[in-house]
Amino acid sequence: MFDSLLTDLRGQKRRCTVYRSGSPLEIERWFASHGVPVESRSLPPDGPAPFIEIEADDEVVGVIGVEAVEGLIEPPIRRPGDGDGTSEGYRVLFDLLDATVLSGMTRRELLAVSREIEDRAFRVGDGVLRVSFQTLSTFASQTAVYRALGSETDLDVHVYGAGDWTPPALPGVTYHADATGRFEPYWAMAYDGGSDSTQACGLVAEEQSDTYTGFWTSDPATVEEIATTLGTE
């Protein structure tokens, strides 16, 4: 379903360099375990605090302090609209790792990314949000979140999944039950940005033995491709 999109993005070269003094840091292990090439370089004992330099296609796209992104290892999760529950460092790293295919992602990590996308949609307050929950029964634990998204905004929300459960009617939410199983391997989202196209964002992840391989993106063309793949009916 999303195989070609994942293959195309795997061709992009992304690497991280961690500048530190002393022993390896946990964030280095996090990058390595998620399939991002990482190397370390030494800082003098009286030098700056540890930081990360991120390259895309051999060009530096950003630098961020290690302390600011340590939450990525245990990402923050909160309901959309509950204030600034995501650290600025996490949001910066969200942008720096845009369109980076990561392997070995956990459900908690994907839920945190999903909350960031939902929160962007909540803050803009309009537009179309499309979400695949693999199976509609998986959506059961998220009904309170989507009741708020549907009733407190002008969002047009579409939820996709295998039709193994009858979800409750929610304001602003349309369900698309599927009998073919095409959604089951995937966790996917696409928000078109509504009245603020700069807020367009999306997520695709494929389940593989209790972990996921996938990416998130703020590229409008890629977000549109995700939306079209999910279905524009």
Side-chain angles (χ1 to χ4, degrees):
M1 184 177 177
F2 292 103
D3 290 350
S4 61
L5 187 53
L6 284 165
T7 299
D8 289 345
L9 291 179
R10 281 193 182 97
Q12 297 185 14
K13 293 191 295 182
R14 192 69 59 109
R15 63 179 299 110
C16 297
T17 303
V18 178
Y19 291 81
R20 58 167 170 81
S21 57
S23 57
L25 303 175
E26 186 63 29
I27 194 66
E28 295 175 61
R29 288 185 281 269
W30 188 93
F31 281 123
S33 68
H34 285 65
V36 180
V38 60
E39 64 178 72
S40 63
R41 295 183 181 174
S42 298
L43 290 172
D46 58 348
F51 64 92
I52 304 166
E53 180 182 81
I54 298 177
E55 297 179 27
D57 295 324
D58 299 321
E59 292 188 8
V60 175
V61 296
V63 176
I64 187 170
V66 167
E67 184 177 356
V69 301
E70 286 180 337
L72 188 66
I73 300 167
E74 189 69 17
I77 298 176
R78 76 279 180 268
R79 290 162 56 98
D82 281 355
D84 190 15
T86 303
S87 71
E88 183 62 26
Y90 184 77
R91 289 186 174 176
V92 169
L93 199 61
F94 183 98
D95 292 334
L96 293 180
L97 292 179
D98 188 287
T100 301
V101 176
L102 302 175
S103 60
M105 297 173 72
T106 66
R107 289 189 64 83
R108 180 180 178 87
E109 289 166 345
L110 283 176
L111 186 57
V113 174
S114 298
R115 286 293 185 264
E116 172 63 16
I117 294 171
E118 291 160 355
D119 193 57
R120 291 188 185 193
F122 186 92
R123 285 185 277 118
V124 175
D126 57 31
V128 181
L129 173 65
R130 300 183 184 276
V131 189
S132 165
F133 277 91
Q134 299 177 297
T135 63
L136 289 180
S137 60
T138 308
F139 175 72
S141 63
Q142 304 302 315
T143 53
V145 170
Y146 279 78
R147 181 177 287 109
L149 285 169
S151 63
E152 298 179 26
T153 71
D154 292 324
L155 287 166
D156 180 14
V157 180
H158 293 259
V159 173
Y160 302 81
D164 64 340
W165 180 66
T166 301
L170 298 177
V173 178
T174 301
Y175 299 105
H176 303 271
D178 177 73
T180 67
R182 71 188 186 105
F183 295 117
E184 290 191 48
Y186 297 101
W187 184 327
M189 304 180 71
Y191 173 55
D192 65 2
S195 55
D196 184 356
S197 59
T198 66
Q199 295 299 310
C201 49
L203 162 71
V204 171
E206 182 178 10
E207 187 171 13
Q208 298 172 331
S209 302
D210 297 325
T211 62
Y212 296 80
T213 293
F215 66 93
W216 57 82
T217 182
S218 299
D219 175 62
T222 306
V223 173
E224 184 177 359
E225 185 173 353
I226 297 170
T228 300
T229 302
L230 285 174
T232 55
E233 68 271 24

